[in-house]
Amino acid sequence: MSEIFVFGHQNPDTDAIGAAISFAYLQKELGKNTVPVALGTPSEETQYALDYFNVPAPRVIEEAGSQTKQVMLVDHNEFQQSVADIKDLSILAVVDHHRIANFETADPLYYRAEPVGCTSTIIFKMFKESNVVIPTQIAGMMVSAIISDTLLFKSPTCTEEDIQAANELAAIAEIDLNGYGLDMLKAGTNLSDKSAEVLLDLDAKSFPLGDKNVRIAQINTVDFNDILSRQDELEATMNAEITANGYEMFILIITNILDSDSELLVLGNSLDKVEKAFNISLENNRSFLKGVVSRKKQIVPQLTEAFN
């Protein structure tokens, strides 16, 4: 029986990695020959979780077709966020908590999407539904994913289901939820040694908005100035990315995980649509967004409406 690859989106965050590991484990327990892989190396936040729970990082792939024809997607569905040869593969299952866009298959598949804060919350429910025991290490990666995606329950995407799942998983993983969670989030804000190119690619996704392609990156920090002091360097790199990839614009969301606010840095065309979407005026290509932390819920839907 050939292997079935399970993976999250490009530039994987903790949920993309954790969900791939946990869903692959669940499917293997249910009789599938599943293997977790990744479409990029783990971030420092994710590596903190992997090291803490002594879980090997999934191997990184750039394409899948030379190794398998069957895949399962977690934490994404949009093809431009997936593996390069996704259109040539047979998608057996999708588990996700994002919008559904640019997705189609030739064959029937298992598709589960729920409006919760984290894909790992859905997978937690699937473990319970299937009566499969969650090992400590797997529980650790799943609770880490929920902490990451909900910013320790501060994100507006967070639901009661996420909180309940996190508490149950924390008990299995034998951690103090708040203490571990804050340490993990802070581990992801150590950015001083990273180049502008790396910073802008840590957590970046491309979104088709109207007939345009928009790149939206997000960086977590505990001090805006740690990032904004490098604005000239970041802008030069963003402009280079716009030119090289034909983006309509490049938006960087800088999120303070302690205060739960964000600063936007925006370059490119159609800047009036950004101002319209958030009822702001950009000054020096920037604007402050109070209480905004979620790209999925507080950025992309508003931009989609503005572009449409």
Side-chain angles (χ1 to χ4, degrees):
M1 181 167 46
S2 62
E3 290 182 333
I4 301 167
F5 283 1
V6 182
F7 50 82
H9 51 76
Q10 298 171 17
N11 302 317
D13 56 11
T14 304
D15 191 27
I17 297 285
I21 291 170
S22 58
F23 192 60
Y25 178 89
L26 172 61
Q27 292 300 309
K28 202 169 193 68
E29 288 295 294
L30 296 175
K32 305 287 197 307
N33 188 24
T34 44
V35 177
V37 295
L39 306 187
T41 56
S43 66
E44 288 189 317
E45 176 194 281
T46 308
Q47 193 61 54
Y48 179 92
L50 292 166
D51 292 342
Y52 190 97
F53 294 106
N54 195 29
V55 176
R59 65 186 176 90
V60 177
I61 64 168
E62 294 184 359
E63 56 80 35
S66 64
Q67 305 161 78
T68 184
K69 297 301 180 185
Q70 297 183 313
V71 299
M72 296 180 177
L73 312 184
V74 293
D75 201 33
H76 77 296
N77 66 83
E78 299 188 45
F79 278 13
Q80 72 271 16
Q81 297 174 9
S82 198
V83 73
D85 57 345
I86 186 65
K87 292 182 179 179
D88 301 324
L89 305 172
S90 175
I91 303 172
L92 303 183
V94 176
V95 182
D96 193 17
H97 68 135
H98 295 94
R99 70 175 190 172
I100 301 171
N102 303 308
F103 180 87
E104 63 178 25
T105 62
D107 300 309
L109 76 161
Y110 178 89
Y111 198 112
R112 183 156 177 173
E114 298 186 20
V116 293
C118 182
T119 301
S120 291
T121 297
I122 306 171
I123 296 172
F124 170 71
K125 294 164 67 175
M126 296 175 71
F127 268 94
K128 298 181 80 171
E129 293 162 3
S130 301
N131 293 313
V132 174
V133 174
I134 306 175
T136 300
Q137 291 176 302
I138 299 296
M141 291 310 301
M142 293 171 74
V143 71
S144 298
I146 297 172
I147 291 167
S148 176
D149 264 18
T150 67
L151 287 179
L152 202 53
F153 317 129
K154 291 181 180 179
S155 171
T157 62
C158 184
T159 69
E160 286 300 319
E161 289 183 86
D162 297 298
I163 296 171
Q164 180 180 343
N167 278 281
E168 291 188 43
L169 288 165
I172 299 170
E174 301 178 345
I175 59 167
D176 175 77
L177 186 55
N178 289 315
Y180 168 81
L182 191 56
D183 288 343
M184 187 196 76
L185 291 174
K186 285 183 176 178
T189 66
N190 181 23
L191 308 172
S192 59
D193 61 340
K194 292 180 171 56
S195 67
E197 290 83 359
V198 170
L199 285 177
L200 293 170
D201 203 42
L202 282 173
D203 184 8
K205 296 180 180 179
S206 298
F207 295 88
L209 301 178
D211 60 350
K212 307 297 184 182
N213 192 22
V214 176
R215 187 73 163 171
I216 306 178
Q218 186 165 22
I219 298 172
N220 290 340
T221 185
V222 294
D223 186 344
F224 285 135
N225 289 329
D226 287 348
I227 307 300
L228 292 173
S229 63
R230 303 173 63 181
Q231 182 171 344
D232 289 346
E233 179 188 2
L234 289 167
E235 287 189 353
T237 303
M238 290 164 72
N239 277 322
E241 289 285 321
I242 289 170
T243 301
N245 297 287
Y247 299 136
E248 177 70 3
M249 70 173 64
F250 197 125
I251 300 173
L252 173 61
I253 312 161
I254 306 164
T255 299
N256 187 312
I257 62 171
L258 300 181
D259 298 335
S260 298
D261 299 316
S262 292
E263 185 90 17
L264 286 188
L265 178 61
V266 188
L267 295 179
N269 301 313
S270 304
L271 300 187
D272 60 310
K273 296 188 184 300
V274 176
E275 294 180 323
K276 176 184 176 183
F278 305 109
N279 193 27
I280 57 172
S281 295
L282 293 169
E283 296 184 13
N284 191 26
N285 300 322
R286 287 165 38 188
S287 185
F288 178 74
L289 294 182
K290 184 172 180 57
V292 171
V293 297
S294 171
R295 173 174 53 195
K296 178 167 68 78
K297 189 167 185 176
Q298 295 174 296
I299 299 290
V300 174
Q302 291 80 353
L303 286 172
T304 300
E305 183 177 350
F307 270 86
N308 287 339

